[in-house]
Amino acid sequence: MTVNDDSFTNWKIREEIAESMIPLIGKLHRERDVTVLLHSRSLVNKSVVSILKTHRFARQIAGAELSVTETMPFLEALASLDLGPSQIDLGMLATTYQADERGLSVAEFTAEAVAGATGANKIERREPRDVVLYGFGRIGRLVARLLIEKSGSGNGLMLRAIVVRGGGAQDIVKRASLLRRDSIHGQFQGTITVDEDSSTIVANGNAIKVIYADDPSAVDYTEYGIRDAILIDNTGKWRDREGLSKHLRPGIEKVVLTAPGKGDVPNIVHGVNHDTIKPDEQILSCASCTTNAIVPPLKAMDDEYGVLRGHVETVHSFTNDQNLLDNYHKSERRGRSAPLNMVITETGAASAVAKALPDLKAKISGSSIRVPVPDVSIAILNLQLAREATREEVHDYLREVSLTSPLKRQIDFITAPDAVSSDFIGSRHASIVDAGALKVDGDNAILYLWYDNEFGYSCQVVRVVQHVSGVEYPTYPATAV
């Protein structure tokens, strides 16, 4: 048998195993509200090829490829347990099992590793929490996709309504079309139908009422059967407590802003300071996409090395607040054609660090350049450390952070030498460390951090909403602290 024959036979075997994983993953998700992950990447509703590619991607962060032959026994062991709502990482199970020297079987080790989600320890499944989107632009539609995707188990978050200004004839049809097809993020994964008479979009069985209103004060959400909902404001029109309080209408309990908050509005970066949200806090912000990209790695570096000062330069994709062609704009440079120019502009991300990391004493400055790409940005974080380090040391530390730390859902790590911006479209992490570009010289470290400023940020928004809703389920095996 030739090498080619061996490779193809191996592929077919792994393909068959991946096929047999799909019903197990689906049943755990639908019946027990368990999300199966592989190094923080969900395997729910994934195709055979996607499952195999996710296993192969492990080599980029863990240093070696994982095979479905290694993870399948753990999935089978999970399927036999009395599991409650949770997230379970097959990659972490396989990795920690290999390092365990007690001679336990896979079934014994798995039962021990996820004991917190079984039997008397398991969390009870919660009733769905209503969610309303105020605004339906780039972030609003991506958050909608995520909410619909995560409603598959029938628990957790349920998107009940979208509030927009009326746009004329066939408004709802056009909005549904924008949800169905996206030039950057591709096709919606599922089916979408429109009932114009009832002003409803039905996406994967989720009936989403489209409410037309020019002002928050015009809506009584209880009229639509909405109770104790979390409203996500995607417009950015109001950023202070007074303005955002307008959303606290009948049926709405909390308001989450997808832009930096002003004044005393808490700016939350999930993974860093989400545990500081007070239970009675009704208004909060998810900060900006760039703040979410730089704060987790900045915290990781400060925890290990100490940071004395830093500067962040963001090379950011253009956004809807810029002009396609030269035209008037209230900002000095943003009026120039976005697809044709690099545009120097300001960023508030550096100053926002203080809100998310109040214990960080280092002064962080920042600037930004908008460039002619429609999505994915890169932040260049230049840090003076409190002690000297080597490139190898920082490289290994950040890789470990991405795999086992409490920040593993925020920080990803890639070693591909030929990676470019479009490779990170659809990334669910807030920030991806480019290992090949990392520079360390004594007490100076320069981190190159890719981020999908649309989708990665939207994932962070949904994580915050899950947290304040009480449906952010624990992950097993337990993360190292």
Side-chain angles (χ1 to χ4, degrees):
M1 185 176 286
T2 66
V3 172
N4 183 61
D5 290 335
D6 283 343
S7 297
F8 187 68
T9 300
N10 181 263
W11 170 263
K12 300 301 287 184
I13 291 170
R14 289 185 290 135
E15 200 173 39
E16 183 178 0
I17 294 172
E19 285 175 354
S20 64
M21 296 177 91
I22 292 174
L24 295 178
I25 294 167
K27 188 174 183 179
L28 284 168
H29 183 60
R30 287 190 306 276
E31 297 183 3
R32 306 185 199 177
D33 218 1
V34 173
T35 301
V36 178
L37 312 171
L38 190 86
H39 287 314
S40 300
R41 290 166 170 78
S42 175
L43 297 181
V44 176
N45 290 329
K46 294 297 187 289
S47 68
V48 168
V49 171
S50 292
I51 289 173
L52 292 173
K53 287 182 69 176
T54 303
H55 277 73
R56 180 161 175 75
F57 187 80
R59 78 191 193 282
Q60 295 283 2
I61 47 179
E65 181 177 346
L66 262 179
S67 171
V68 287
T69 60
E70 296 175 82
T71 58
M72 182 61 171
F74 294 97
L75 182 58
E76 291 173 327
L78 291 172
S80 68
L81 296 172
D82 178 27
L83 290 167
S86 55
Q87 298 187 106
I88 300 178
D89 196 315
L90 291 181
M92 286 298 296
L93 277 174
T95 301
T96 52
Y97 180 69
Q98 291 169 4
D100 191 85
E101 299 178 347
R102 293 175 294 165
L104 300 176
S105 68
V106 167
E108 291 169 336
F109 181 85
T110 301
E112 179 183 277
V114 302
T118 60
N121 296 323
K122 67 181 182 182
I123 298 172
E124 292 301 318
R125 300 179 76 178
R126 297 179 174 91
E127 290 297 313
R129 184 70 175 269
D130 290 352
V131 178
V132 173
L133 293 179
Y134 198 95
F136 205 48
R138 296 298 303 152
I139 300 302
R141 292 195 295 274
L142 291 178
V143 169
R145 286 189 174 201
L146 287 164
L147 292 172
I148 294 163
E149 171 193 300
K150 293 179 183 298
S151 69
S153 65
N155 291 269
L157 304 174
M158 295 293 292
L159 177 57
R160 296 291 308 279
I162 297 163
V163 184
V164 293
R165 292 185 176 185
Q170 290 197 307
D171 180 273
I172 190 172
V173 173
K174 293 175 181 177
R175 294 186 189 278
S177 180
L178 286 170
L179 178 62
R180 185 181 291 115
R181 303 178 187 87
D182 190 283
S183 300
I184 296 169
H185 300 282
Q187 298 279 339
F188 173 81
Q189 296 301 303
T191 63
I192 293 176
T193 57
V194 175
D195 186 335
E196 290 188 79
D197 292 336
S198 65
S199 190
T200 302
I201 296 172
V202 181
N204 290 359
N206 294 265
I208 306 163
K209 183 73 175 179
V210 178
I211 301 170
Y212 294 99
D214 292 332
D215 188 84
S217 61
V219 188
D220 181 341
Y221 294 94
T222 60
E223 293 179 359
Y224 305 96
I226 296 170
R227 300 285 187 278
D228 302 322
I230 295 177
L231 182 144
I232 305 174
D233 184 329
N234 308 287
T235 68
K237 183 176 180 180
W238 304 277
R239 295 194 180 188
D240 60 10
R241 188 171 295 276
E242 181 182 0
L244 292 168
S245 294
K246 296 178 181 180
H247 290 303
L248 294 173
R249 301 283 298 154
I252 302 299
E253 184 181 12
K254 294 180 184 292
V255 178
V256 174
L257 171 67
T258 63
K262 295 182 178 180
D264 67 341
V265 174
N267 279 248
I268 303 301
V269 175
H270 189 276
V272 175
N273 67 337
H274 67 277
D275 56 354
T276 65
I277 301 173
K278 298 176 181 177
D280 60 350
E281 179 60 75
Q282 289 188 288
I283 295 173
L284 54 92
S285 155
C286 290
S288 70
C289 57
T290 301
T291 302
N292 276 263
I294 65 173
V295 165
L298 182 57
K299 174 177 169 38
M301 292 298 289
D302 188 50
D303 286 347
E304 180 66 16
Y305 301 101
V307 173
L308 300 181
R309 64 176 60 88
H311 177 81
V312 60
E313 186 78 38
T314 66
V315 182
H316 200 290
S317 59
F318 63 79
T319 62
N320 264 334
D321 80 323
Q322 294 175 256
N323 295 327
L324 285 174
L325 296 172
D326 290 3
N327 205 351
Y328 172 80
H329 194 288
K330 62 181 181 180
S331 296
E332 290 183 347
R333 304 184 199 237
R334 291 194 191 188
R336 303 298 297 278
S337 173
L340 299 177
N341 295 287
M342 292 190 291
V343 179
I344 297 175
T345 186
E346 69 282 346
T347 175
S351 59
V353 167
K355 277 195 169 185
L357 284 176
D359 293 335
L360 181 72
K361 304 307 179 186
K363 179 181 179 182
I364 307 294
S365 59
S367 51
S368 181
I369 303 173
R370 297 287 180 95
V371 294
V373 294
D375 187 29
V376 179
S377 305
I378 190 168
I380 305 167
L381 190 57
N382 193 330
L383 303 175
Q384 182 185 353
L385 307 177
R387 66 178 175 88
E388 293 191 352
T390 65
R391 183 185 185 281
E392 181 181 15
E393 179 188 351
V394 175
H395 175 283
D396 292 348
Y397 168 67
L398 290 174
R399 180 174 66 182
E400 192 63 23
V401 165
S402 75
L403 287 170
T404 64
S405 83
L407 292 169
K408 66 182 181 180
R409 296 174 71 193
Q410 283 70 44
I411 300 176
D412 203 2
F413 188 89
I414 188 167
T415 59
D418 55 352
V420 294
S421 61
S422 61
D423 296 330
F424 305 102
I425 293 174
S427 170
R428 295 182 179 231
H429 288 79
S431 185
I432 306 104
V433 176
D434 191 315
L438 174 68
K439 293 176 172 58
V440 180
D441 182 11
D443 65 352
N444 178 239
I446 304 175
L447 280 57
Y448 288 75
L449 309 166
W450 298 101
Y451 58 109
D452 184 329
N453 48 278
E454 293 186 336
F455 198 73
Y457 176 69
S458 296
C459 289
Q460 283 286 88
V461 171
V462 171
R463 289 174 189 133
V464 170
V465 174
Q466 286 178 313
H467 178 74
V468 298
S469 301
V471 296
E472 185 180 37
Y473 298 132
T475 301
Y476 299 93
T479 299
V481 178

